[in-house]
Amino acid sequence: MKILGISGGTLNGANDCMCKEALLGAKEAGAEVEFIRLLDLDIQHCTGCKACVMGLFSGRGNMCVIKDDFQWLLDKMLDADGILFSIPIFEKCAMGLFHTIMDRFGPRMGRTNNMAADHIAQEKGGKRIDPRYMQDKCISYMAIGGSDWATQVQCDFSLHALTPMWKMIDCEAFRWSLGILADDEKVARAHQIGVNLATQAKNIETATWQGEDGVCPHCHSRNFYIELSNQAVCGTCGMRGVLTYEDGVYKFDFPKEQLKHAHDTISGQFIHSDDIQANEAEAGAKARSDEYKQKVQRYKDFISATKPA
């Protein structure tokens, strides 16, 4: 069993050290461990070119046209049984480089996209999808910030795990943590996160959430979008329901039939894929019309982008 620790922090800084503390816990629980620093890698932005999707569904396999270190990092993750991210908090959110990794994950890492593409390849004789892209995996996250501005970061982490449908074990935000290595309680929590990850990764089929319960009973999220109709939407799994406050505790209730639409379920991802394909087809038809081409030409003729000298 292998646990991969990935730090997004400065060299030997708080994120590096807390990640290594968690890896110490994982090693004590019997895991082989490996450590990677994101700032040592060349990870470029996703350009939205859709080449990965076209490759998936045309029988060419799972691929990205950008030649950088992302595939190397992804292969490391795919070869691990459990993954741990330790990421600094920037303006309430995960650092921008983590968001770039999130962008590069989707849609080529979508579990149902790979399942469907592999089925197509099998039927039509194309290149089969590497089975690692469709395997269950355990993943945990730690975020380290210097204040209490950390209200979005755990949702960022949940959305990263959602795309490949990896099982999230812990998702911890350490607030007010500039001197975190001097805080024995927080260091001990990092150690336990590593133990939890290694313990659950021993049997991924039965692996379960080990963190504190959130407000959403399905995905443990605490982030919600409140509509003017007083309906609440879970910021992670997309369940729509009602937030209530009872006995000093917030509760989120939603119709159980909505579970088939949850963003972190196979059925929900297939529904999303069907919606995207329908929208792509409609948008493609419009883009081929003369009226649409004239509109694009009008904007081309109007102004060009300013570039550095």
Side-chain angles (χ1 to χ4, degrees):
M1 177 187 56
K2 184 171 184 178
I3 301 297
L4 175 66
I6 303 172
S7 169
T10 56
L11 182 63
N12 297 321
N15 283 277
D16 277 16
C17 293
M18 289 289 277
C19 187
K20 291 179 179 181
E21 180 64 45
L23 290 178
L24 282 169
K27 187 172 182 178
E28 288 177 9
E32 175 189 351
V33 298
E34 185 173 2
F35 175 69
I36 292 174
R37 298 185 63 256
L38 291 180
L39 296 182
D40 290 339
L41 309 180
D42 172 28
I43 307 292
Q44 299 178 29
H45 294 296
C46 175
T47 64
C49 70
K50 301 181 183 178
C52 59
V53 180
M54 292 185 286
L56 274 175
F57 293 106
S58 62
R60 299 197 301 271
N62 191 316
M63 52 180 280
C64 177
V65 297
I66 299 174
K67 305 304 179 186
D68 60 358
D69 293 329
F70 177 77
Q71 188 61 48
W72 178 87
L73 175 65
L74 181 56
D75 283 333
K76 288 287 187 180
M77 286 190 272
L78 294 175
D79 286 338
D81 300 291
I83 302 159
L84 170 75
F85 275 95
S86 181
I87 299 295
I89 299 171
F90 288 0
E91 300 299 330
K92 300 186 181 182
C93 304
M95 67 186 299
L97 183 53
F98 183 83
H99 280 263
T100 296
I101 290 172
M102 290 174 64
D103 292 342
R104 296 287 294 276
F105 257 57
R108 67 174 292 209
M109 284 297 294
R111 175 71 70 91
T112 54
N113 283 347
N114 281 285
M115 290 170 62
D118 189 59
H119 179 72
I120 292 170
Q122 186 177 17
E123 284 193 334
K124 298 184 176 181
K127 183 177 181 180
R128 298 289 300 274
I129 302 299
D130 185 333
R132 297 180 304 164
Y133 286 89
M134 296 169 282
Q135 287 177 344
D136 287 334
K137 204 168 293 293
C138 291
I139 189 163
S140 293
Y141 302 89
M142 300 187 299
I144 300 175
S147 72
D148 61 347
W149 285 25
T151 53
Q152 179 63 31
V153 69
Q154 286 164 302
C155 192
D156 292 343
F157 291 155
S158 297
L159 293 174
H160 175 255
L162 180 153
T163 303
M165 295 188 65
W166 290 345
K167 293 187 176 182
M168 191 159 57
I169 307 304
D170 278 293
C171 186
E172 189 78 27
F174 293 105
R175 301 167 176 84
W176 299 114
S177 294
L178 287 179
I180 193 169
L181 297 182
D183 189 325
D184 292 342
E185 184 176 342
K186 291 179 179 178
V187 172
R189 174 63 182 141
H191 192 92
Q192 186 61 46
I193 287 172
V195 172
N196 291 346
L197 181 60
T199 301
Q200 295 300 310
K202 289 178 181 177
N203 190 344
I204 294 177
E205 288 187 3
T206 61
T208 58
W209 169 257
Q210 299 296 302
E212 186 178 13
D213 288 341
V215 177
C216 178
H218 174 65
C219 71
H220 305 289
S221 174
R222 299 178 184 180
N223 293 76
F224 291 85
Y225 178 80
I226 309 300
E227 297 183 330
L228 295 178
S229 63
N230 202 34
Q231 192 171 42
V233 183
C234 177
T236 298
C237 68
M239 294 294 90
R240 307 179 73 89
V242 178
L243 277 172
T244 57
Y245 188 70
E246 301 175 15
D247 300 325
V249 178
Y250 281 101
K251 296 181 179 179
F252 178 55
D253 295 310
F254 55 84
K256 298 306 178 186
E257 59 266 22
Q258 278 201 27
L259 283 172
K260 66 181 180 181
H261 295 274
H263 303 168
D264 58 350
T265 64
I266 291 290
S267 58
Q269 287 204 5
F270 270 122
I271 290 171
H272 179 64
S273 296
D274 291 342
D275 289 343
I276 292 295
Q277 289 185 46
N279 290 334
E280 288 278 1
E282 182 180 352
K286 291 179 178 178
R288 290 188 291 273
S289 70
D290 290 338
E291 180 182 4
Y292 188 93
K293 293 175 182 178
Q294 289 170 6
K295 287 183 178 180
V296 173
Q297 190 61 48
R298 176 171 174 262
Y299 298 128
K300 286 182 178 179
D301 295 340
F302 169 59
I303 195 169
S304 298
T306 303
K307 299 179 182 180

